[in-house]
Amino acid sequence: MRQARFARWSVLSRATTLVTVGLLWALLLPRSANAVEPVRAGQESSLIRAVFVDGRLWLLSDAGELSAIEPSGSEREPQHLPEPALDLCVSHGQPQVVTGEEATAWTIRTRAANGTWATTGDVPRHDDRLIAMRCADSGMTTLLSHTRLIEMDGQGRTRSVDLQGTLPPGIVSATYDDEGALYVAINGGEWGGGLQRIDRLTGTVTPIERKGADICSGPLNGACDPVNGITAEPWNPRCLAVAVGLVHMMAHGRIVQVCGNDIRELYAKPYVSAFGAEFFRNAPSKETTPFFGLIASGGSLWAAGTDGLYRIDASGKATMRPLPAFKTIGGGSRSASTIR
């Protein structure tokens, strides 16, 4: 049985010292991660990935449909690819997709400056299911399936390692990589998700978490905490910051700092939803602000919460600005702001 799950996507891009921020509200239906859904009316509201690059906002739906929007535009421009797109990232300042869910191989395609899509390489399938794609500044593209971690360099050469362990169910909301590992943020809705580390050499899957003594307690509890964003801390690149957020009747979330085995809450803020106000009317609310996107810029963390855009410094102090009004374009809502 399908159950509705809510997620908010943050689209963040740097242009010199400015960062354009777009927030998309998407209703996501749980599925086998990145399996292509049938095209249906209102498909554009079911977005699985969004990036801002080359002066445009690029959107990918769960039917594999890719489109772009100009910052001041009022229409979505469909992109015509030979097969449905399964995931989207940014490579050398251009959008890159992986296509071919039902084919014998996945194909990596990168948009050229003249607007055409060039084939970077093909990755044979092993009866596995694609979960996510990650693009690195080095030109390396990483594909993650439910059984393998596949790396492709700039010359189209591939290396594959079998996963040693199982990823929890849910959608991959974000990825982050370093030389030794791929970090995977899982949003399983009300079933949690958490943060996972995959060793690039061995394929070992390791949950990164710190639970408390009580159920669902602790700064990062994979059984209860959907993770919606990952980035390196600008003041300490050896540490990661992750965004936790869930709205399921009541709301909870926080920004968590991960420095090796040291996992602690960096920022959280009390929050009261309409449901929570009724539920906790005779007691203090236990809700906290959910966060659905996270980047590092200008020496600070920028986090997208349900009630605004937060700037967080190394001490955990935060300032918040309200989100601009959303604008409906092609059936989807967009909110844009510029931050310094």
Side-chain angles (χ1 to χ4, degrees):
M1 179 181 295
R2 288 174 177 256
Q3 299 180 357
R5 176 184 303 147
F6 291 96
R8 200 177 280 236
W9 287 96
S10 169
V11 184
L12 309 162
S13 172
R14 184 181 312 209
T16 60
T17 59
L18 300 181
V19 178
T20 300
V21 180
L23 289 179
L24 303 173
W25 178 252
L27 176 60
L28 299 179
L29 299 177
R31 59 199 181 282
S32 296
N34 281 17
V36 175
E37 295 285 329
V39 178
R40 60 186 180 274
Q43 182 72 52
E44 61 274 8
S45 66
S46 298
L47 301 172
I48 62 171
R49 200 73 76 209
V51 299
F52 191 91
V53 64
D54 194 30
R56 290 193 285 180
L57 179 64
W58 298 80
L59 306 173
L60 178 62
S61 80
D62 62 4
E65 297 175 328
L66 183 67
S67 59
I69 302 174
E70 298 285 347
S72 59
S74 58
E75 298 292 335
R76 295 172 62 178
E77 177 188 343
Q79 302 294 305
H80 302 290
L81 299 167
E83 308 95 17
L86 306 175
D87 210 342
L88 166 69
C89 60
V90 178
S91 177
H92 296 298
Q94 289 292 333
Q96 181 170 277
V97 295
V98 55
T99 67
E101 172 75 353
E102 301 301 330
T104 58
W106 294 308
T107 301
I108 309 298
R109 304 178 190 275
T110 306
R111 186 176 182 275
N114 63 2
T116 62
W117 290 86
T119 298
T120 304
D122 295 305
V123 177
R125 290 185 62 198
H126 292 175
D127 293 324
D128 47 355
R129 183 181 69 252
L130 188 73
I131 294 177
M133 175 174 67
R134 171 77 180 177
C135 298
D137 294 338
S138 64
M140 180 77 73
T141 298
T142 301
L143 298 184
L144 176 64
S145 81
H146 75 290
T147 61
R148 293 185 294 158
L149 185 70
I150 307 118
E151 297 174 336
M152 177 181 288
D153 65 18
Q155 285 71 49
R157 295 171 297 197
T158 62
R159 172 187 174 274
S160 175
V161 60
D162 292 337
L163 298 187
Q164 306 300 314
T166 303
L167 293 168
I171 64 170
V172 174
S173 58
T175 56
Y176 181 85
D177 56 5
D178 58 28
E179 292 183 358
L182 177 72
Y183 296 86
V184 182
I186 305 290
N187 179 346
E190 58 267 37
W191 295 281
L195 180 66
Q196 305 284 320
R197 181 186 187 275
I198 303 175
D199 188 282
R200 289 188 175 276
L201 292 179
T202 67
T204 301
V205 179
T206 306
I208 298 176
E209 61 183 1
R210 196 184 116 208
K211 299 180 179 180
D214 300 324
I215 186 171
C216 285
S217 64
L220 188 56
N221 188 325
C224 305
D225 292 336
V227 175
N228 303 308
I230 319 171
T231 189
E233 291 183 343
W235 50 81
N236 188 353
R238 294 175 297 177
C239 297
L240 296 179
V242 301
V244 172
L246 173 67
V247 179
H248 178 61
M249 294 184 289
M250 290 180 286
H252 85 267
R254 68 193 72 89
I255 304 299
V256 180
Q257 176 181 272
V258 178
C259 297
N261 294 324
D262 183 13
I263 303 172
R264 63 183 66 190
E265 180 182 284
L266 179 64
Y267 178 76
K269 175 186 170 184
Y271 181 85
V272 180
S273 66
F275 182 90
E278 179 67 20
F279 187 86
F280 291 111
R281 58 180 172 177
N282 296 320
S285 173
K286 296 182 180 180
E287 293 184 287
T288 50
T289 299
F291 293 98
F292 296 96
L294 185 68
I295 65 162
S297 178
S300 301
L301 292 171
W302 292 85
T306 50
D307 54 353
L309 187 63
Y310 290 74
R311 182 175 184 173
I312 304 169
D313 63 22
S315 69
K317 180 182 177 181
T319 55
M320 187 269 281
R321 65 173 65 171
L323 296 175
F326 279 75
K327 178 182 178 181
T328 299
I329 298 177
S333 295
R334 182 190 71 171
S335 174
S337 176
T338 301
I339 59 179
R340 296 179 184 273

